Amino acid sequence: MANWYEGPLAAFDTETTGVDVETDRIVSAAVVVQDAPGTRPRVVRWLVNPGVPVPEAATAVHGLTEEHLQHNGRWPAPVMYEIAEQLTEHAAMGRPLVVMNAPFDLTLLDRELRRHRASSLERWFESTPLRVLDPRVLDKHLDRYRKGRRTLTDLCEHYGVTLEGAHDAAADALASLDVVRALGRRFAARLERLSPAELHSLQATWHAAQARGLQAWFARSGSEETVSTDWPLRPELSAAA
């Protein structure tokens, strides 16, 4: 039987109006599915008219202007439903979901579902657990002493993955999927005996430790920035209060 990193994987990515998961909006998203390494990926894309202004700084990153989204994007409510439905279907089929920096994209999706569908991501996965593989968390744990940044671009360079068209949701999702496969091969001795379900639980622990380390570094630097230890989804603020 093939190891999980050689088998079917799905990946999810978004482009947004900014970096605040509580207030910013999704403007594009993609789910990429690949049954095995080297096979042709299947891609589903969404373009969203967020109904709010799109800052120039965000457009400079992903190239999607407010005017383009107003003319070509769909309203958020049906899109968020379709995305959640897609992710649930892949979970039900046993496909692990690759999400780079999962607390960002999944929390944004959760907030959009609450905003436009009076729902939540947790509600969608009450009967079918989500098994997330986060290349950022995996890399930081498995190669913790390596210096340098660990953005998706950095990870692609480090693991020899081609990233064409960075900051396009589909391109980033596919690259994240390829990075996870490369991570699996490089650290096979440490990963091949673990199931995606076991890895999901372990990543929550690893991310919490990584977040506490970053929080300590901020404190030593005199910064008041706070780092969430929650993974792969941050709780709703009112629920956390």
Side-chain angles (χ1 to χ4, degrees):
M1 179 183 241
N3 294 313
W4 59 262
Y5 49 84
E6 303 291 0
L9 294 175
F12 173 61
D13 190 73
T14 66
E15 297 300 327
T16 69
T17 59
V19 296
D20 187 330
V21 296
E22 302 297 338
T23 60
D24 279 306
R25 310 297 176 89
I26 294 172
V27 297
S28 71
V31 172
V32 175
V33 182
Q34 188 183 46
D35 294 325
T39 60
R40 182 185 293 275
R42 303 186 297 280
V43 180
V44 181
R45 304 171 185 262
W46 295 270
L47 195 65
V48 185
N49 178 355
V52 299
V54 179
E56 290 183 3
T59 297
V61 172
H62 49 59
L64 298 170
T65 66
E66 186 172 337
E67 181 181 14
H68 178 77
L69 293 168
Q70 287 176 348
H71 284 89
N72 299 283
R74 297 169 58 201
W75 288 114
V79 170
M80 302 312 150
Y81 181 92
E82 290 171 15
I83 294 173
E85 186 177 48
Q86 275 273 321
L87 300 187
T88 306
E89 288 177 1
H90 293 306
M93 296 179 72
R95 292 191 184 108
L97 182 68
V98 176
V99 190
M100 174 72 182
N101 191 17
F104 179 77
D105 292 83
L106 294 183
T107 303
L108 262 168
L109 176 58
D110 176 77
R111 302 313 190 252
E112 291 278 50
L113 286 167
R114 293 175 188 273
R115 186 177 294 124
H116 298 290
R117 302 292 312 189
S119 182
S120 70
L121 198 58
E122 288 181 333
R123 192 176 302 172
W124 277 88
F125 292 97
E126 285 175 342
S127 59
T128 306
L130 193 61
R131 308 301 187 194
V132 176
L133 300 171
D134 187 334
R136 185 179 183 185
V137 174
L138 291 169
D139 176 69
K140 286 176 97 172
H141 177 77
L142 295 166
D143 198 359
R144 69 182 68 183
Y145 299 114
R146 187 178 83 249
K147 297 188 181 199
R149 290 161 51 85
R150 299 183 194 241
T151 66
L152 179 59
T153 300
D154 298 317
L155 295 187
C156 287
E157 182 177 351
H158 182 72
Y159 289 101
V161 169
T162 300
L163 173 55
E164 296 181 357
H167 300 297
D168 169 82
D172 287 356
L174 179 58
S176 298
L177 189 153
D178 288 340
V179 166
V180 164
R181 292 200 191 280
L183 270 162
R185 296 186 195 104
R186 183 168 300 189
F187 297 101
R190 299 166 65 182
L191 294 176
E192 61 186 359
R193 292 182 179 86
L194 296 171
S195 69
E198 291 170 325
L199 268 176
H200 181 98
S201 297
L202 285 169
Q203 285 171 100
T205 301
W206 296 343
H207 176 272
Q210 293 162 8
R212 287 192 293 269
L214 182 57
Q215 188 71 74
W217 185 84
F218 280 143
R220 290 194 300 271
S221 303
S223 171
E224 297 182 358
E225 185 171 349
T226 58
V227 184
S228 173
T229 59
D230 295 292
W231 183 96
L233 178 66
R234 297 177 192 170
E236 188 182 14
L237 285 181
S238 59

